[in-house]
Amino acid sequence: MVGSTQEKLDELTKILEIAAEPAGESAVAKRAKKNIPSVRSRVTTLLDPGTFFEIGALARQPGKNDAMYGDGVVTGHGLIEGRPVVVIAHDQTVYGGSVGEMFGRKLTKALQFAFEKACPVVTINDSGGARIQDAVASIAWFGHMSRVQAKLSGYVPQVSIMLGKCAAGAVYGPINTDVLVGTQNAYMFVTGPEVIKAVTGEDVSAEDLGGAEVQARRGVIHHVTDTEQQAFDWARTYLGYMPSSCLEQPPLVNPGLEPEITASDRELDRIIPDSDRSGYDMHEILLRIFDDGEFHEIRAAFAPNLITGFARVDGRTVGVVANQPLVLGGSIDAACSDKSTYFIRLCDAFNIPLVFVADTPGVLPGVEEENNGVIIRGGRVPRAIIEATVPIINLVVRKSYGGAYGMMACKQLGADISFAWPTARIAVIGAESAVDLIGRRQLMAVPEEHRAAARDFMINQYNETVATPWVAAERGYIDAVIEPSRTRLEIRHALRLLRDKHPVSQEFNPRKHSLYSM
């Protein structure tokens, strides 16, 4: 006899209760010991309240009576600030969050849903990697997942939240997303400490090998937080600057604020030190030239001589690339070149205008930098600028010397509008180096007791007649020299002018694509 409707409802309730905690009391105990929430609690904390709809909760390995529901991953969709997102979250209490066949099928289906609906993907990572027991089925599904994920890159925003462990094959998904945010106790590596010790004899802790802080300094993780809640908040803020897909524009937030010069604007008129050798924090400028003093920095721990992040101008998202004079004088090195190239391409993919703020003495010299491949890695920056089709604003606040002039999006390389402050110095090299190179013979002809004074005179002459914004403005290499206090409004006016910028059609070129040096 077929059971009654009530009996079927009771059975559904029972199954859903099991599926909500597939590993039972042992899972609860495991989480309590680690003091972490359940996977579904993590998902609901990330999303707007009451918006999560789970897909595939009853999926499990076929042919196994003891197979656990969910197969180690929770998938579904919900809202963040009212906009749809797809969410994927590893459940470390079910098979250690490892990748098995049904895990792979669920995750691939979720990514395909994101592709079809053009909405962002957020993945909460806490996985041991491939499921050894599933043999080739596990690694085969890594291939399937990677193919679908590749279609999403540059199409919809992808965020990885690193909580706990992310090892072996499980690292390759996150590093192919746009940004990674992790908590202090997260770590990620291809091979763990035990394997390394067995193979190479090296003894290293998980933290030293791939702890969140270590990976942030390497540039792998883009931001580290103290708590899971902070990681979720950072991810939500990041998505707030992004469009849902490359087919749309980022959200408009509070346009038209402060239409006149403010007291904060006027502070810019005295922010640059009189001495070229004096440092200052570039953040103090960035907080004054964008809306509400807000700046969402990306990769702060990696290559801190260059700052990258998001702000708003007249309510619209902009990407910011700025030199940091407090670190290496703001010099360009191999690491910050990688940082810049990636960020430029990220912004260009999602229709986000770029604002470059330059104060750099040039490319960092030295044997170590040459060994680091500064030629190749630095050379990719101007390529990224040239290939970008979004509006680009260039602002020189102090130094802009040598090759770094181009790496900070000079007008000749791709800036649509280029500004300079009266404090700007634009030249091949700085005054001291120039005098030492081209004024050597003149100085040698000066009596030794007067040589230092003569050198100082030549340096001042160079700064007053060569490395000035007036020379660049006279020749049209910059569009305007502006008062620092007018910067916020001038950037606003410039981006309004460029709002409808479209790529200029190029003459026919039969190539498939350009090449990047390796």
Side-chain angles (χ1 to χ4, degrees):
M1 179 178 176
V2 178
S4 67
T5 298
Q6 185 58 52
E7 288 173 332
K8 291 177 180 179
L9 289 173
D10 292 342
E11 182 181 14
L12 172 63
T13 300
K14 181 180 178 181
I15 291 174
L16 290 177
E17 287 177 354
I18 296 172
E21 198 68 85
E25 292 300 321
S26 64
V28 176
K30 182 179 180 180
R31 291 197 301 270
K33 185 177 180 180
K34 291 186 175 183
N35 192 30
I36 60 174
S38 70
V39 63
R40 288 172 179 81
S41 293
R42 284 172 165 172
V43 171
T44 55
T45 300
L46 168 71
L47 298 174
D48 294 350
T51 65
F52 180 54
F53 180 81
E54 185 171 353
I55 297 173
L58 303 184
R60 60 177 180 173
Q61 297 177 68
K64 295 185 178 181
N65 294 331
D66 60 346
M68 286 188 276
Y69 288 114
D71 205 52
V73 66
V74 171
T75 59
H77 52 80
L79 302 178
I80 289 181
E81 299 297 337
R83 295 193 294 159
V85 297
V86 165
V87 182
I88 298 163
H90 301 157
D91 186 352
Q92 63 159 263
T93 66
V94 178
Y95 308 123
S98 61
V99 178
E101 180 178 353
M102 296 311 298
F103 182 118
R105 289 184 184 278
K106 288 178 63 177
L107 193 147
T108 301
K109 184 178 180 180
L111 294 178
Q112 187 63 38
F113 182 90
F115 181 80
E116 293 169 356
K117 308 306 178 188
C119 60
V121 178
V122 181
T123 304
I124 300 173
N125 298 270
D126 194 352
S127 169
R131 189 174 305 165
I132 297 174
Q133 302 91 319
D134 278 25
V136 69
S138 176
I139 55 178
W141 275 99
F142 271 111
H144 290 306
M145 292 186 295
S146 297
R147 287 181 67 87
V148 180
Q149 186 184 40
K151 295 196 302 182
L152 295 174
S153 182
Y155 177 54
V156 299
Q158 298 182 80
V159 180
S160 291
I161 302 175
M162 315 306 295
L163 309 177
K165 178 172 62 177
C166 187
V171 300
Y172 296 120
I175 59 96
N176 281 302
T177 58
D178 304 343
V179 291
L180 290 75
V181 53
T183 56
Q184 290 278 1
N185 61 349
Y187 53 92
M188 55 189 302
F189 38 67
V190 176
T191 51
E194 298 85 359
V195 175
I196 289 177
K197 186 171 185 179
V199 175
T200 70
E202 296 174 278
D203 196 353
V204 62
S205 68
E207 289 72 23
D208 290 338
L209 180 64
E213 293 285 1
V214 171
Q215 294 293 19
R217 291 193 295 272
R218 292 170 181 160
V220 177
I221 291 180
H222 295 71
H223 185 71
V224 179
T225 65
D226 293 326
T227 67
E228 291 190 8
Q229 182 64 60
Q230 290 172 346
F232 297 143
D233 291 343
W234 192 92
R236 288 174 62 93
T237 300
Y238 171 81
L239 289 174
Y241 285 98
M242 306 298 288
S244 290
S245 76
C246 68
L247 306 175
E248 303 178 11
Q249 295 296 321
L252 185 63
V253 179
N254 297 327
L257 295 176
E258 299 177 328
E260 304 295 335
I261 292 177
T262 66
S264 177
D265 292 325
R266 293 190 180 92
E267 291 172 357
L268 292 172
D269 287 336
R270 53 184 182 275
I271 205 164
I272 299 295
D274 290 334
S275 172
D276 284 351
R277 295 184 176 183
S278 297
Y280 64 92
D281 189 350
M282 178 59 77
H283 289 95
E284 293 299 323
I285 290 179
L286 302 183
L287 292 176
R288 289 169 171 80
I289 63 176
F290 300 114
D291 292 3
D292 297 326
E294 292 184 359
F295 184 66
H296 190 63
E297 190 164 357
I298 307 292
R299 272 182 167 168
F302 173 62
N305 42 319
L306 189 82
I307 299 169
T308 56
F310 296 101
R312 289 189 176 90
V313 172
D314 202 15
R316 298 175 188 274
T317 301
V318 295
V320 180
V321 181
N323 306 116
Q324 174 55 287
L326 292 182
V327 182
L328 299 176
S331 297
I332 302 290
D333 62 4
C336 80
S337 296
D338 291 343
K339 181 176 179 178
S340 180
T341 299
Y342 177 76
F343 187 75
I344 293 166
R345 292 175 66 83
L346 172 65
C347 291
D348 190 50
F350 292 111
N351 310 310
I352 296 173
L354 284 157
V355 177
F356 288 78
V357 184
D359 184 354
T360 173
V363 178
L364 185 67
V367 175
E368 183 178 356
E369 276 305 299
E370 297 295 343
N371 288 336
N372 287 339
V374 68
I375 295 175
I376 291 176
R377 295 160 72 182
R380 292 174 183 151
V381 180
R383 286 281 298 280
I385 295 169
I386 292 168
E387 293 172 357
T389 61
V390 294
I392 297 177
I393 304 296
N394 162 261
L395 169 67
V396 181
V397 299
R398 192 165 65 168
K399 302 172 186 175
S400 186
Y401 295 149
Y405 171 72
M407 293 181 186
M408 294 304 292
C410 63
K411 186 172 181 64
Q412 299 72 46
L413 204 62
D416 296 289
I417 297 178
S418 181
F419 298 119
W421 285 359
T423 49
R425 299 199 186 282
I426 305 171
V428 175
I429 53 177
E432 293 187 1
S433 298
V435 168
D436 290 341
L437 285 173
I438 63 178
R440 185 182 307 163
R441 289 186 180 180
Q442 291 174 267
L443 287 173
M444 292 304 294
V446 175
E448 187 173 352
E449 63 270 21
H450 300 304
R451 200 167 292 163
R455 183 174 182 272
D456 289 342
F457 175 80
M458 293 171 71
I459 288 172
N460 288 335
Q461 279 290 105
Y462 183 92
N463 281 333
E464 291 174 5
T465 61
V466 178
T468 74
W470 322 121
V471 173
E474 287 167 6
R475 288 160 175 77
Y477 295 138
I478 58 174
D479 293 309
V481 181
I482 62 173
E483 297 173 70
S485 56
R486 290 200 55 82
T487 303
R488 180 178 58 84
L489 297 182
E490 294 295 352
I491 291 176
R492 178 180 291 188
H493 294 157
L495 288 177
R496 284 178 179 173
L497 176 68
L498 297 168
R499 188 168 296 167
D500 296 324
K501 175 185 175 181
H502 296 288
V504 178
S505 60
Q506 304 292 324
E507 62 182 65
F508 173 71
N509 189 328
R511 72 184 181 187
K512 185 174 182 180
H513 55 69
S514 62
L515 299 177
Y516 278 88
S517 298
M518 297 299 292

